[in-house]
């Protein structure tokens, strides 16, 4: 488990240089304005502070994309996803751990 965590953690750091936050248009995919605003807010928060942050976005606004991009933006070593049920985590192909495994 520790090797898998170290490998995943270094993935965000290694791939930070290729992070791009393109704007979505009618002709191309990218981040919508609400997603870009959330990412910029997270970046600004962690540039000045070291405490936790909570991102609250409405249904269908692209929280998953923000979650994934924020791990790169912040060069995360670990990512904790908290959901009210296991379904959203499984839906995104993320692992589900019990309390005993963490």
């Amino acid at each position: 488990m520790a090797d898998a965590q170290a490998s995943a953690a270094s993935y965000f750091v290694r791939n930070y240089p290729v992070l791009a936050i393109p704007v979505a248009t009618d002709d191309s995919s990218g981040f919508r304005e609400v997603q870009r605003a959330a990412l910029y807010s997270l970046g600004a928060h962690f540039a000045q502070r070291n405490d936790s942050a909570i991102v609250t976005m409405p249904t269908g606004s692209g929280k998953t994309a923000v979650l994934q991009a924020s791990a790169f933006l912040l060069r995360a070593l670990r990512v904790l996803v908290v959901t009210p049920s296991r379904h959203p985590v499984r839906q995104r192909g993320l692992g589900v751990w019990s309390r005993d495994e963490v």
Side-chain angles (χ1 to χ4, degrees):
M1 176 96 162
D3 290 337
Q5 286 177 337
S7 175
S10 62
Y11 178 84
F12 298 119
V13 175
R14 280 194 323 266
N15 289 286
Y16 171 79
V18 296
L19 174 66
I21 306 175
V23 177
T25 65
D26 292 338
D27 301 325
S28 66
S29 61
F31 289 91
R32 293 174 281 182
E33 288 303 315
V34 66
Q35 294 168 315
R36 290 166 49 90
L39 288 169
Y40 293 148
S41 294
L42 278 170
H45 173 83
F46 286 110
Q48 299 295 318
R49 304 171 62 142
N50 199 25
D51 57 334
S52 301
I54 297 174
V55 176
T56 305
M57 297 171 65
T59 301
S61 61
K63 294 180 289 294
T64 301
V66 171
L67 166 72
Q68 293 169 340
S70 65
F72 292 97
L73 176 71
L74 302 172
R75 299 178 204 164
L77 298 180
R78 286 178 275 176
V79 177
L80 173 65
V81 178
V82 180
T83 67
S85 69
R86 292 180 179 183
H87 177 71
V89 177
R90 286 192 178 125
Q91 180 182 14
R92 298 295 173 212
L94 302 172
V96 177
W97 296 278
S98 70
R99 207 176 335 180
D100 298 331
E101 295 176 286
V102 175

